Amino acid sequence: MSKNFKFKNFVESHNFVNQVGNIAEQENHHPDISFGWGYCKVKIFTHAIKGLAESDFILAAKIDKI
Amino acid sequence: MSKNFKFKNFVESHNFVNQVGNIAEQENHHPDISFGWGYCKVKIFTHAIKGLAESDFILAAKIDKI
């Protein structure tokens, strides 16, 4: 699954990415992140099962709370 | 232009991304960055001219020095 986030500038995107990265390390589950000026896209997937696992939804929920 | 970078884990990718983000702010020129566990791809482009400008090469050189 993936979700797009919008921001006012690069610094805000970057700050969001840092928070996502910190959560990923806490959860030991790592999304694929694309970002630049004013945007961030977070993709979450469990490669081992080629699908979505509980850990994906936990990670997504924590990112949504940022 | 774009360049792929490889890393040992997510933390190293994330640290690299932070350095790229700081350089982008210093240069006031912002790449598109994709990263995840062990990788980072940096895309540099000047949308205003739909091509590459001097500032793109300066940014790329500074990122290459990280």
Side-chain angles (χ1 to χ4, degrees):
Chain A
M1 62 185 143
S2 69
K3 187 164 178 178
N4 295 303
F5 301 86
K6 297 213 167 185
F7 303 95
K8 285 183 195 165
N9 51 44
F10 186 85
V11 169
E12 285 196 9
S13 304
H14 190 191
N15 285 342
F16 178 79
V17 166
N18 277 339
Q19 293 178 73
V20 172
N22 292 340
I23 290 169
E25 276 302 304
Q26 284 164 20
E27 296 296 316
N28 195 27
H29 192 47
H30 302 96
D32 292 293
I33 299 164
S34 302
F35 78 104
W37 201 97
Y39 78 92
C40 178
K41 182 174 191 170
V42 180
K43 289 187 211 172
I44 298 175
F45 193 72
T46 296
H47 296 274
I49 61 168
K50 294 182 185 173
L52 296 173
E54 189 181 5
S55 56
D56 293 309
F57 293 99
I58 292 169
L59 179 60
K62 293 199 173 186
I63 290 170
D64 262 341
K65 280 190 188 167
I66 292 175
Chain B
M1 63 184 143
S2 69
K3 187 165 179 178
N4 294 303
F5 300 87
K6 297 214 167 183
F7 303 96
K8 286 183 193 165
N9 51 45
F10 185 86
V11 169
E12 285 196 9
S13 304
H14 189 191
N15 285 343
F16 178 79
V17 166
N18 277 339
Q19 292 177 75
V20 172
N22 292 339
I23 290 169
E25 276 302 304
Q26 284 164 21
E27 297 295 316
N28 195 27
H29 193 47
H30 302 96
D32 292 293
I33 299 164
S34 302
F35 78 104
W37 200 97
Y39 77 92
C40 178
K41 182 175 191 170
V42 180
K43 289 188 211 171
I44 299 176
F45 192 73
T46 296
H47 295 275
I49 60 167
K50 294 183 184 172
L52 296 173
E54 189 181 5
S55 56
D56 294 308
F57 293 98
I58 292 168
L59 180 61
K62 294 199 173 186
I63 291 170
D64 263 340
K65 280 192 189 165
I66 293 176

